[in-house]
Amino acid sequence: MTIFILFIGRYLMYLLLVLLFLGLIIPRYRHLAITSFLAAGLAYAVGWTIKEFFYLPRPFITAGTPPVLPYLLDGSLPSSHTAVSFAIAAVISLRHSRLGLIFIVLALLIAAGRILGGVHTYLDVLSGTLIGLASALILVPVDSCQSQ
């Protein structure tokens, strides 16, 4: 079980990024991949800014139990992994519903892995989810206007 938590909490994010890079080389998905990367970058920047100004200790610090996942000693709110993965999943879902469903499941697994791995709380993951969704909703309408 620990290996599964480690995989979904730490490494599944890299699978999402690899899939996006593959989208860049397939002309049909290039625009979708670029928009997803922009939304992910926005979500990461917003999350990083919040962490800089609003520190909450990671759950393993307050509980005194070692986490399953490798960690940084920065704040836990929001979960950057969750924000980025939901930004990607939301952009793809808004453009391609069947493919988006796969990405939503992957984002949910990443969020669960961050909690089960002991490096985030439900609040951290929820805030990351909202940041990711907001980033996608900000960029997709802009993207739609520019493509017309």
Side-chain angles (χ1 to χ4, degrees):
M1 185 66 156
T2 303
I3 292 173
F4 179 70
I5 293 171
L6 181 63
F7 175 75
I8 64 172
R10 180 158 174 103
Y11 298 111
L12 190 56
M13 170 64 74
Y14 300 116
L15 175 63
L16 285 182
L17 296 175
V18 167
L19 291 173
L20 281 185
F21 276 111
L22 289 175
L24 288 174
I25 62 174
I26 301 170
R28 178 179 173 190
Y29 295 113
R30 184 172 297 135
H31 199 256
L32 183 63
I34 290 169
T35 306
S36 296
F37 274 122
L38 291 173
L42 177 60
Y44 184 82
V46 169
W48 180 83
T49 303
I50 291 170
K51 281 186 181 189
E52 286 297 308
F53 292 103
F54 186 70
Y55 176 81
L56 278 180
R58 293 190 178 265
F60 66 86
I61 293 173
T62 56
T65 58
V68 174
L69 301 177
Y71 57 89
L72 297 174
L73 290 177
D74 60 348
S76 69
L77 181 79
S79 167
S80 298
H81 282 77
T82 305
V84 167
S85 63
F86 271 96
I88 293 167
V91 168
I92 293 172
S93 294
L94 291 168
R95 295 292 189 186
H96 196 292
S97 59
R98 280 184 273 155
L99 186 59
L101 184 59
I102 294 168
F103 278 82
I104 287 172
V105 169
L106 294 175
L108 287 168
L109 285 171
I110 289 168
R114 303 303 288 174
I115 293 169
L116 294 172
V119 293
H120 285 292
T121 65
Y122 291 106
L123 179 62
D124 302 335
V125 167
L126 177 63
S127 61
T129 300
L130 294 175
I131 290 167
L133 294 176
S135 298
L137 290 173
I138 287 168
L139 286 174
V140 169
V142 170
D143 176 55
S144 298
C145 294
Q146 290 179 348
S147 64
Q148 293 178 355

